[in-house]
Amino acid sequence: MADAIDAGRSGWAGCPTCSQDLSFDAAELRCVPCSLAWQQDGDGVWSESPSATKASAVVAALRSMTAEDWPDAAHRLATVPGFRAEDLPDAAWADWTMLADLAGKTVWDISEGPSLTAVTIARTAAYVVASNPDEQVARCMMHAARLSGRECFDVVASQPERVPVRPAGVDHIVLGGALERLPRDGKIERLERLAECLAPGGSLLFTADNRFSPVRSGRIRGAKLASESGYRTMLR
């Protein structure tokens, strides 16, 4: 499995500044020309500047769990401050359908708020790299992947533009409720930068909670922008 992880990581990892290959080992991804590096912390999360921020109560609880504990995770975490049962995959999201075939593909999942969509995607995807700017959420994602047996899985605690994904490095990019949170100025340019990371035939997919469905409401600017840009909009 270590060989599969190394192969998968070398397939998507690249410098976001110069697009060159990264040198990497078990704990560091590095771009020598740009003097940039991403380190992996004790929870397995990659970031340019791993912080010493104390883990949240939820992260601390997840650290102590084993795979055997995962099916009963909601019950075990119920009394932990900050725990939200709806953030656990395979329970609240068991009846959700991804309107795209991600099986056997390399997928970059971009989220902004608490989200474990990437763990669900990893059920069938060949490799998943997930990014979230919130370090505590990123840690939860990594432990959820570990506990549910998703091994070809990386998490980067960063804004999308600082995630080390090479051009044509992934087959699909999923923006889970993140599109409407992108800054209004330069949004098209940001989407075009993401599109450069797609392999030929890849897709940039947008998800939105049903209560904000652009089919039912025209209030989501992101959905309109996606349509105008020629991108496919995906609901969940």
Side-chain angles (χ1 to χ4, degrees), residues 8 11 39 71 103 138 142 152 171 182 187 196 211 223 230:
Q39 286 84 36
M142 194 67 236
C152 291
D171 298 303
L182 291 177
K187 183 173 286 192
E196 291 174 357
R211 66 183 183 279

Side-chain angles (χ1 to χ4, degrees), residues 114-222:
S115 173
L116 293 180
T117 307
V119 183
T120 302
I121 292 172
R123 290 174 184 166
T124 59
Y127 206 103
V128 172
V129 52
S131 64
N132 191 296
D134 187 312
E135 187 178 63
Q136 301 294 348
V137 172
R139 289 171 172 172
C140 285
M141 294 168 74
M142 194 67 236
H143 283 292
R146 172 182 64 83
L147 292 167
S148 54
R150 319 288 200 252
E151 296 185 293
C152 291
F153 193 97
D154 277 308
V155 180
V156 183
S158 177
Q159 294 290 349
E161 58 268 22
R162 300 301 300 172
V163 177
V165 174
R166 69 168 67 248
V170 296
D171 298 303
H172 301 287
I173 298 175
V174 176
L175 287 91
L179 182 63
E180 60 270 26
R181 294 188 178 94
L182 291 177
R184 184 170 186 176
D185 293 339
K187 183 173 286 192
I188 293 295
E189 289 76 11
R190 288 169 182 259
L191 293 176
E192 289 174 341
R193 154 68 176 91
L194 292 178
E196 291 174 357
C197 296
L198 293 170
S203 300
L204 185 56
L205 307 170
F206 309 112
T207 71
D209 291 336
N210 287 333
R211 66 183 183 279
F212 296 133
S213 167
V215 172
R216 297 169 53 191
S217 167
R219 293 195 296 268
I220 295 286
R221 293 193 306 270

